[in-house]
Amino acid sequence: MTRPVLNNTAARRVFLDRHALHETPQGPAHGDALASLITRLGFVQLDSINTVARAHDLILFARRPRYRPKALDTLYQRDRALFEHWTHDAAVIPMEFYPQWHMRRTRDAERLKKAWSKDRRAGFEAQYQTVLDHIRENGACSSSDVGTGEKKGSGGWWDWHPSKTALEYLWRSGALAVTGRSGFQKRYDLTERVIDKALANPAHAPDTEQTIDWCCTQALDRLGFANHSELAAFWGHIRPAEAQIWVKHALARGSIIAIDVENADGSLRGAFARPDLPYDPAIQTPPSPRLRILSPFDPALRDRKRAEQLFGFHYRIEVFVPEPKRTYGYYVFPILEGDRLVGRIDMKAFRAEDTLKIRALWPERGVRWGKGRTTALNTELSRMLNLAGVGQITFAPNWLRTQL
């Protein structure tokens, strides 16, 4: 039997729709509306780099330009509509998903104890009770509030002092919860003070099979189509072999089908999808043509290999590359226009100078950057000024470059 083929245009449209980048970026961006957007995405990755705005703020702004960071802080720290834990990295996640992290916390308890005993400062396990007692008596704390008298390291994960490692371990394994951040530094509290008892009760948590089913089902709904490795990687806490078994059973049930997806270069790759995907309304609807600037950690781009297959867009972040060896720049932002990634821009907000400085923009090969796109870029940059906390834009000489 011939498998359905999703052509590249249709695949891009479905993928962008699932990532809330297909429709016009507009609408309310606080309260229930913002919570609904985050639930639609599944989670929003947190990142500390703030050359223009932090990654989580850019992710939400790209979809709702009325978004302001205070709205996320309110949802997370006041309303407790979100919790923080790990997917592929630290992220804020809808609170109703908390029970689905029970398996992750249980697995992390075993895995991290072994790994960190080798990789990090010795003695962190002896600090568990001391840290818990400190928080119970004094309330939420950060890593700087514990470990008085312990030798402080460089700040890198490999050189955390034992009490900081204990804090992280107790959070990752479930005894503590992150209650918010101050200056991007996590504040930890006892889980029972942060998470509703019904959600945190291990007796109410799904078992391993139920968690795997939830992870794969929810991942597929948020990707549109995926192979088993992509399903496993979406939330980050099931194994590819577990996703592969789920796929086998889901195919037998008829709840998914095997398809071929056309890549940007015309080649085909196998994937799995819902049976009605070939009739998805997004396929017949052109995406918003609006130009928008994405975070390098946008959920549509975090899988670099998939972005290259689907959009023909090769991207590697160069934060950890020595400056002389960088191809583009320290923190370069991809540019989306319709269903195409049309370029990348190197820019930074200099808040002391009240200026967003544009160093360089590289159009993708085959993209002509004329007056129309320059006007659209200026419009989008102007929208970003408030988020960046500056009032004006400047362009470096020869800012418009040739694709390398």
Side-chain angles (χ1 to χ4, degrees), residues 29 34 57 61 65-72 383 386-387:
L34 183 61
D57 295 323
F61 178 85
R66 288 158 61 182
Y67 167 81
R68 296 296 179 265
K70 185 178 178 181
L72 183 62
R383 291 189 189 103
N386 188 285
L387 186 69

Side-chain angles (χ1 to χ4, degrees), residues 315-371:
Y315 183 87
R316 298 293 183 271
I317 197 161
E318 297 182 288
V319 167
F320 301 110
V321 177
E323 186 171 0
K325 296 183 179 181
R326 290 175 190 152
T327 303
Y328 295 104
Y330 173 78
Y331 197 82
V332 174
F333 302 83
I335 303 172
L336 177 71
E337 181 188 64
D339 66 357
R340 301 174 67 193
L341 288 159
V342 295
R344 60 198 82 201
I345 185 169
D346 184 5
M347 60 182 182
K348 182 177 180 179
F350 289 81
R351 294 174 181 90
E353 301 174 35
D354 195 33
T355 303
L356 178 62
K357 296 185 178 181
I358 313 305
R359 174 179 173 270
L361 185 150
W362 296 267
E364 288 295 282
R365 288 189 179 89
V367 173
R368 182 180 177 276
W369 203 276
K371 292 182 179 179

Side-chain angles (χ1 to χ4, degrees), residues 77-381:
Q77 301 186 66
R78 189 195 74 182
D79 299 345
R80 300 280 183 240
L82 306 168
F83 73 97
E84 182 174 339
H85 213 272
W86 276 67
T87 53
H88 64 292
D89 211 322
V92 285
I93 305 154
M95 185 63 79
E96 62 264 33
F97 294 172
Y98 189 83
Q100 304 297 341
W101 261 249
H102 175 72
M103 185 181 79
R104 174 69 176 261
R105 293 187 293 271
T106 301
R107 288 181 172 181
D108 277 357
E110 180 179 354
R111 180 179 63 83
L112 296 179
K113 184 178 290 186
K114 293 179 180 177
W116 289 2
S117 294
K118 298 176 182 177
D119 295 342
R120 308 194 181 195
R121 290 286 188 88
F124 74 90
E125 293 166 282
Q127 298 302 314
Y128 293 164
Q129 195 58 52
T130 301
V131 165
L132 289 171
D133 289 345
H134 176 89
I135 293 174
R136 185 171 288 107
E137 294 170 10
N138 298 284
C141 76
S142 67
S143 61
S144 60
D145 298 320
V146 296
T148 303
E150 293 177 0
K151 181 182 177 182
K152 308 296 182 179
S154 65
W157 62 261
W158 60 89
D159 204 15
W160 288 352
H161 61 82
S163 292
K164 177 175 174 58
T165 305
L167 273 174
E168 283 285 302
Y169 178 85
L170 291 167
W171 166 51
R172 295 282 293 272
S173 58
L176 299 179
V178 174
T179 187
R181 289 177 179 251
S182 299
F184 213 70
Q185 187 177 48
K186 293 192 287 290
R187 298 193 311 278
Y188 307 81
D189 204 345
L190 301 176
T191 296
E192 59 262 32
R193 294 177 181 168
V194 181
I195 310 296
D196 184 87
K197 289 182 180 179
L199 292 174
N201 189 341
H204 300 162
D207 62 24
T208 298
E209 185 176 346
Q210 290 170 326
T211 301
I212 293 169
D213 180 65
W214 183 89
C215 286
C216 291
T217 299
Q218 296 290 322
L220 189 59
D221 288 345
R222 286 169 174 80
L223 293 171
F225 49 87
N227 59 37
H228 74 273
S229 295
E230 291 166 338
L231 293 176
F234 186 86
W235 303 104
H237 56 271
I238 68 170
R239 303 172 183 122
E242 292 170 330
Q244 194 167 29
I245 292 170
W246 180 87
V247 164
K248 179 181 177 181
H249 292 160
L251 285 170
R253 291 193 303 267
S255 58
I256 64 172
I257 59 172
I259 66 170
D260 284 320
V261 177
E262 183 185 24
N263 293 323
D265 64 4
S267 63
L268 299 178
R269 64 185 178 100
F272 304 99
R274 297 293 190 189
D276 60 353
L277 183 69
Y279 314 102
D280 194 285
I283 292 174
Q284 304 303 323
T285 309
S288 168
R290 185 143 125 195
L291 185 148
R292 47 188 141 179
I293 297 168
L294 303 182
S295 163
F297 298 112
D298 193 281
L301 296 170
R302 72 177 181 88
D303 185 331
R304 311 296 191 204
K305 179 179 178 182
R306 183 170 54 217
E308 188 163 1
Q309 289 173 329
L310 195 57
F311 297 98
F313 186 76
H314 178 83
Y315 183 87
R316 298 293 183 271
I317 197 161
E318 297 182 288
V319 167
F320 301 110
V321 177
E323 186 171 0
K325 296 183 179 181
R326 290 175 190 152
T327 303
Y328 295 104
Y330 173 78
Y331 197 82
V332 174
F333 302 83
I335 303 172
L336 177 71
E337 181 188 64
D339 66 357
R340 301 174 67 193
L341 288 159
V342 295
R344 60 198 82 201
I345 185 169
D346 184 5
M347 60 182 182
K348 182 177 180 179
F350 289 81
R351 294 174 181 90
E353 301 174 35
D354 195 33
T355 303
L356 178 62
K357 296 185 178 181
I358 313 305
R359 174 179 173 270
L361 185 150
W362 296 267
E364 288 295 282
R365 288 189 179 89
V367 173
R368 182 180 177 276
W369 203 276
K371 292 182 179 179
R373 284 198 170 99
T374 298
T375 298
L377 173 67
N378 280 322
T379 300
E380 185 64 8
L381 291 172

